Amino acid sequence: MSTYAPRHSPSAFSTPASTTLFRRLTWEGTVPLEIRVDPKELPANSDRGLECYYLQAPRVSYLPLLVPEIKRYLLDVVFDENAARVVKEEDWWFESEEGNLLKWHWPIGLIYDNHTISQSTRPNAMPSVFTPLRLVLHLVSPPTEKLLLSPSAEACKQAFMGQLKEADFIRWGNTKRMTGLRKAEQDGLWEGIKEHNFDEYWRVASKITPTTVPTRSNSPPPPPSSTSLHTRPPSADPGSSGGNSGPDRDSAASVRNVPVRIYLPDGPILQDLVPPVLDDGTMHTLAAFLTARLPLLFPPPDAGKPNLAYAIIQGVVAPPDAEMAWLGACMAGADGWVNVCVGLLREGMRYP
Amino acid sequence: MLTTLTRSQFEEACRRYVDAHSGEQCHDVKTYPTGWSWNEHSYVPGLGYLARTVRLPRTTPSEAEIEDGHGLDEIAEQEDSTIASAAHEVLTCRQYVVYSPTYAVPAFYFTLHDSTGSPLPLSVIVDSALFRRQSLPSPDGNTFGVVLPDSSLALLSQGDHPTHGTPSWYFHPCHTSEVVGEILSDPESIHGGDELLRWMEVWFMVMGNIVDFFAGSQCDV
């Protein structure tokens, strides 16, 4: 991928076309969902046989944002008037076909990819792509021990903002870019998600997300400038408002660390420091990251052993030579995070 | 001088804290909270945390009135006996000190349940004995978090426990490093010796401005 050199002030309009392309592909990504109401909970007089709703949901959206659409369908087609009166969305919760509770504060794309890798550990799993994620919708008795309370769109927004703030902090060592946004701008990010409007979201996100630059070169990374990669945060530099030091300020390679999380099948979520450039000056690649963090699943190249697992990012098997900095600028979720889902390879499969 | 901790520093600091403040000592017992135990994930290393469980009395305005002896007759006359029983209700508070990989500092997570095992709503939590009076801004009708004024960013909100993935409340640790760093840089606060232990002690002091670590009574988990 390209190296990073000074460019003009950050804005969506001066972002190179390839960056915008991948951001749009990520934004426009959708997953097929099949949502079926738990038959035991269908209210009396419901029109049985129709309680299944199909939709292509945006990867960057959230389950609570789908609820109004699902509810409209159920009211129109399935429930009678009595049921319509008593149904309480705040008690709704979702489960996968296998009985796993779905977290409403996770982006839908992450829920889908996490399901894919969970299936990779099942003995009879067929590697299938693009099958709908089959969800069971429960209307009552949410398991409060395992789910966050209050699955409202407002609560979801707050969770989303918290993730953006964390991503901001990881990149720059402070949350000034996020807290520096006016409240209307902060709200604009969420409105972009709700309306699924790329331009509205990126109008604000371009102020806080690092970007790449158009030049392609095989030379080593630029020598340390006033906004050097490691020594201090670019925003601390007194001359960083413009001129030579300004353009580096938002470069994907000048972040302190890239916001990345690793999801394992049915395991805990791993989060560690992911610098964009390694100590030897080379760009930090996905392969190096996975080998360092999960050496048994991704043995080092000189060990002569094949990988036992693969990595999915935004639903795509990610090439091991992808640079972490580039992933952070182009294929992060709308909440700023690069979610790497690790699944086990089956017989006959290889990664890369 | 450390303003942030790596994972292994956090682990070491917690172990030293538990060793130094294990609850059997009589002195210092009201300065540093005790009763914490170190726990780990069942198969992934590096995800350890401190935990303890505390039983809190449920405090309500009516309970305060009962204690003062005001309005006792009116309250006793009310048909609703739940007020009287609520006054004696015991809440279970599970408290955790976990590592925040984003901010590289400890973070305080907790759950609060009533005697039936139901998680309590935010309005009850904010008024509970867990927090020092007036230390939190009002949730203002918000049921899922306490937000900073004029912002969409939160101070206290819900999140998954980093090791177990179970729902908890937690305080956003974004300013912890600044506050603890400021205290540690004050020459008077350095008693010499163990920097990691001192870090945890100062962290508990800082959190203790909001969380009353000495409310209620401890119990075995």
Side-chain angles (χ1 to χ4, degrees), chain B residues 28-48:
Chain B
D28 262 357
V29 88
K30 279 293 186 183
T31 315
Y32 299 115
T34 58
W36 301 92
S37 62
W38 178 254
N39 300 271
E40 302 238 357
H41 188 273
S42 47
Y43 58 88
V44 176
L47 295 177

Side-chain angles (χ1 to χ4, degrees), chain B residues 4 9 15 27 50 84 86 105 107 109 112 121 128 130 134 141 147 153 156 165 173 175 179 182 193:
Chain B
T4 56
Q9 283 172 333
R15 288 188 193 284
H27 63 277
L50 292 176
V105 291
Y109 280 59
L112 199 56
S128 73
L130 181 60
Q134 314 300 331
V147 187
L153 301 176
L156 167 68
H175 295 295
V179 179
E182 207 174 291

Side-chain angles (χ1 to χ4, degrees), chain A residues 333-347:
Chain A
D335 61 2
W337 285 84
V338 177
N339 293 317
V340 181
C341 292
V342 170
L344 294 183
L345 288 170
R346 323 270 343 177
E347 191 67 47

Side-chain angles (χ1 to χ4, degrees), chain A residues 103 105 145 149 166 187 271, chain B residues 7 102 113 152 158 160 165:
Chain A
K103 297 193 184 271
H105 60 293
E145 274 309 298
L149 306 175
E166 285 197 34
D187 291 346
Q271 182 186 333
Chain B
R7 257 190 218 280
T102 297
H113 293 80
S152 298
Q158 297 175 60
D160 289 331

Side-chain angles (χ1 to χ4, degrees), chain B residues 53-76:
Chain B
T53 304
V54 169
R55 302 250 187 264
L56 297 172
R58 183 171 189 149
T59 54
T60 62
S62 45
E63 185 193 46
E65 287 168 18
I66 290 171
E67 286 174 353
D68 288 345
H70 296 304
L72 186 59
D73 294 334
E74 288 91 343
I75 290 173

Side-chain angles (χ1 to χ4, degrees), chain A residues 5 14 36 71 136 207 250 282 288 293 352:
Chain A
S14 67
R36 181 184 300 274
K71 184 176 170 191
V136 177
K207 297 188 182 184
D250 299 284
T282 58
R293 195 61 188 85

Side-chain angles (χ1 to χ4, degrees), chain A residues 103 105 144-150 154-155 158 161 165-166 169-170 178-179 183 186-187 266-268 271-272 337, chain B residues 7 41 43-44 47 101-103 113 117 119 143-145 147 151-154 157-160 165 167 172 174:
Chain A
K103 297 193 184 271
H105 60 293
T144 48
E145 274 309 298
K146 297 187 196 150
L147 255 189
L148 297 184
L149 306 175
S150 323
E154 274 303 302
Q158 192 184 95
M161 289 297 173
K165 188 174 78 170
E166 285 197 34
F169 187 89
I170 287 181
M178 268 301 283
T179 54
K183 182 166 190 314
Q186 290 175 5
D187 291 346
D266 307 323
Q271 182 186 333
D272 299 284
W337 285 84
Chain B
R7 257 190 218 280
H41 188 273
Y43 58 88
V44 176
L47 295 177
T102 297
Y103 300 102
H113 293 80
T143 56
F144 46 84
V147 187
S151 166
S152 298
L153 301 176
S157 41
Q158 297 175 60
D160 289 331
H172 289 241
C174 32

